[in-house]
Amino acid sequence: MDQYGMLIDGRLVQTAERDDVINPALGAPFASCPRATQAHVDEAVAAAARAFKTWRQDEGFRRQKLNECAAAIQGRAQEIATLLSQEQGKPVTAAMAEVFGAAMWIQYYAALPIEPEIIHDDAEKQIKVVRKPLGVVAAITPWNFPAILLAWKLAPAFLAGNTVVAKPSPFTPLTSLMVGDILKDVLPRGVLNVLGGGGEVGAILAQHPLVRKISFTGSVATGKKIAAYAADDLKRTTLELGGNDPAIVLDDVDPARVADGLFWGAFQNSGQICSAIKRLYVHEKVYEPIVSALVARARSVKVGNGLDPDTQLGPINNQMQLEKVIGMVDAARQSGARVEVGGARLDSPGYFYPPTIVTGAHAGMTLVDEEQFGTALPIIKYRDLEDALEQANRTHYGLGASVWTSNSERGESIVQEIESGTGWVNHHLDLTPATPFGGCKWSGIGYENGKWGYHEFTEMQTVNRKK
Ligand code: NAD
């Protein structure tokens, strides 16, 4: 087994204690990850604090380094993607897209213009707003998109002049360790540090007195803990949390035209996307053809090991998540919902659960009320649009939402009635590096991407000069 090391102060560090990393397509360990101790966290944060002193000084140098990071990642894309597929489960083609996406995000920030904002300028005085780095940033990431979600944090944090200690998920730590290994030859020592370990290591990092900002992506439950840790020291936080995105299909759609978008909006990455479609509300006029079009797609999709080039959907990433999805579907079935397709784990050691469509679902079932984060989609029939909107908004979540219609302008006004950070019309999951992404209500605080994502890694200063 490869001995992946942690990156601390420009050096790869091994530990006596290691944790197995499971390949979800096999349901068995394929590698192991070092587990950081309190001393490793202290060392990494201290290295980042030292590096900050010089790293913050030269914006041109940081832009050049960002471009070099992107090129280094692209140069090793195949290797990173293969490892990503093994630890996460996704098809290797999707893993390649994720790795190239990570490089694209870094290039975007390498080129993002950042000018001070002049608020007032006359013969007497000038007032301007400048942005400064915060210092050491803790970047804590989940297991569904380990490569690109790390890039969403590193790129704007580095552009602003911060240094970073990253702590990936214990389910998918190896891609981040490999990226750390690659970038150690590009970045000055201490600018990036990558630690292994689970929630206990994340908790030590997030509460470290030298950390000034916690950029966190993960579950609502952990996000609330992070907010509590941050409170004591008034650390800055960005919290990108879970979602239970509704998609509302209006009565005027052509089912054949929207079926692909709906299916992949729900099932891409085996449904393990914070902003995937997780509840589908369909008008009764188009309900039957939409259900049969989605069932047909679910039947035809190829589920398998991500390393098999024919695979379209990989396994669920881990046993706990698999059991959660199974439990939600079984509970819905017991409460009278109908499983149209799927609904049973594949007979294999991997964590495979084929795309599952559940009709007759309603509020009160966990499959509708909570985030399933897996290959199961409840479909809810509606007659009255107001009622569908009321159901869509009856949740603590507020990440994404979409409206599907042959009249996109009508869709645009309807989607704005949904409480969500993003409102899509006639598609779902479309993201670009320039587009702010975040959630309202329990789905998060703050935004990533675009200039908004950069602002989150800065402190403002108003400079008021009498001439
Ligand atoms: P999680 O909250 O269990 O873990 C996320 C990270 O936090 C991991 O690195 C974990 O080790 C760490 N962690 C756990 N406990 C901690 C603690 N007490 N202190 C500090 N760190 C701790 O989430 P997960 O299961 O890995 O990810 C799935 C969740 O992430 C889903 O809810 C999904 O919707 C959400 N997510 C949100 C976004 C977004 O942008 N809004 C994107 C991807 C995933």
Side-chain angles (χ1 to χ4, degrees):
M1 281 187 188
D2 281 319
Q3 292 286 302
Y4 298 95
M6 304 191 292
L7 178 63
I8 300 178
D9 201 14
R11 287 176 305 114
L12 290 185
V13 174
Q14 300 293 347
T15 57
E17 299 285 330
R18 299 181 73 89
D19 295 305
D20 282 343
V21 180
I22 289 176
N23 178 336
L26 308 176
F30 79 105
S32 71
C33 175
R35 190 192 308 156
T37 60
Q38 169 90 50
H40 291 119
V41 179
D42 288 343
E43 225 186 300
V45 174
R50 279 194 302 278
F52 177 61
K53 294 195 181 109
T54 36
W55 178 245
R56 65 176 301 173
Q57 315 255 341
D58 184 349
E59 186 191 309
F61 178 69
R62 296 198 300 273
R63 289 183 189 276
Q64 178 200 325
K65 287 290 159 192
L66 280 171
N67 279 322
E68 288 175 26
C69 287
I73 288 170
Q74 280 170 338
R76 303 272 294 273
Q78 184 73 53
E79 203 184 331
I80 304 172
T82 304
L83 184 62
L84 175 56
S85 175
Q86 284 174 297
E87 68 175 354
Q88 205 288 326
K90 67 185 65 191
V92 81
T93 44
M96 278 296 264
E98 182 178 339
V99 174
F100 276 103
M104 181 171 92
W105 249 259
I106 296 172
Q107 282 162 340
Y108 166 81
Y109 277 107
L112 182 74
I114 46 172
E115 296 295 333
E117 218 177 311
I118 310 278
I119 306 297
H120 179 103
D121 201 9
D122 63 16
E124 300 276 298
K125 65 175 176 183
Q126 186 192 62
I127 306 175
K128 67 179 172 187
V129 174
V130 297
R131 291 190 174 267
K132 299 175 169 189
L134 291 155
V136 179
V137 169
I140 303 177
T141 46
W143 47 258
N144 58 340
F145 284 92
I148 200 160
L149 294 178
L150 180 65
W152 284 20
K153 299 183 187 315
L154 297 188
F158 287 163
L159 173 64
N162 304 284
T163 53
V164 173
V165 180
K167 210 297 289 166
S169 165
F171 294 111
T172 55
L174 303 178
T175 311
S176 301
L177 294 183
M178 185 181 274
V179 167
D181 186 0
I182 293 168
L183 298 189
K184 81 175 185 321
D185 300 327
V186 175
L187 295 166
R189 60 190 270 199
V191 167
L192 172 64
N193 304 270
V194 186
L195 299 174
E200 65 298 338
V201 176
I204 297 170
L205 176 63
Q207 294 174 86
H208 198 288
L210 289 181
V211 166
R212 282 312 305 149
K213 157 99 192 177
I214 310 161
S215 179
F216 172 79
T217 303
S219 63
V220 170
T222 310
K224 289 182 180 181
K225 288 186 195 165
I226 299 277
Y229 303 151
D232 189 42
D233 189 27
L234 291 180
K235 295 184 199 303
R236 277 39 178 164
T237 55
T238 301
L239 304 176
E240 294 286 0
L241 309 179
N244 193 7
D245 287 17
I248 302 183
V249 179
L250 303 189
D251 56 0
D252 63 1
V253 296
D254 172 357
R257 285 188 65 179
V258 298
D260 268 335
L262 290 171
F263 182 82
W264 290 107
F267 290 106
Q268 193 185 315
N269 208 44
S270 296
Q272 302 162 118
I273 304 186
C274 50
S275 56
I277 297 172
K278 298 197 176 115
R279 299 175 281 157
L280 183 58
Y281 296 90
V282 182
H283 191 273
E284 60 180 8
K285 251 168 83 178
V286 289
Y287 180 81
E288 296 300 337
I290 291 280
V291 170
S292 39
L294 294 181
V295 167
R297 278 161 183 75
R299 281 195 212 290
S300 68
V301 92
K302 170 97 171 60
V303 177
N305 187 322
L307 295 182
D308 175 345
D310 294 335
T311 293
Q312 291 172 284
L313 290 179
I316 301 292
N317 172 259
N318 57 76
Q319 174 90 33
M320 196 172 67
Q321 192 61 33
L322 173 69
E323 283 168 9
K324 190 171 164 188
V325 176
I326 292 174
M328 284 184 173
V329 172
D330 288 352
R333 189 170 8 211
Q334 277 153 24
S335 308
R338 193 178 135 93
V339 175
E340 302 284 347
V341 62
R345 184 179 175 174
L346 295 189
D347 185 17
S348 108
Y351 307 141
F352 293 104
Y353 195 75
T356 296
I357 308 264
V358 178
T359 55
H362 53 74
M365 295 176 173
T366 52
L367 185 61
V368 175
D369 295 346
E370 301 297 329
E371 180 185 35
Q372 66 274 43
F373 214 62
T375 25
L377 177 68
I379 306 187
I380 301 124
K381 193 197 291 190
Y382 76 88
R383 177 172 294 172
D384 171 36
L385 179 59
E386 284 311 310
D387 173 48
L389 285 166
E390 200 275 324
Q391 291 191 59
N393 282 328
R394 202 191 305 145
T395 171
H396 283 303
Y397 294 101
L399 193 57
S402 58
V403 170
W404 300 71
T405 168
S406 56
N407 178 346
S408 67
E409 282 163 11
R410 179 179 171 224
E412 190 174 306
S413 73
I414 293 171
V415 86
Q416 289 177 65
E417 293 186 41
I418 305 179
E419 296 152 359
S420 64
T422 301
W424 284 285
V425 177
N426 289 333
H427 56 177
H428 204 109
L429 292 175
D430 182 53
L431 296 170
T432 78
T435 310
F437 180 76
C440 61
K441 302 198 275 189
W442 284 7
S443 287
I445 296 178
Y447 277 79
E448 292 195 291
N449 304 334
K451 66 179 182 202
W452 301 269
Y454 158 75
H455 288 165
E456 300 263 331
F457 288 99
T458 65
E459 200 82 84
M460 269 173 38
Q461 186 179 35
T462 305
V463 178
N464 188 331
R465 171 166 62 97
K466 191 160 180 217
K467 290 183 178 168

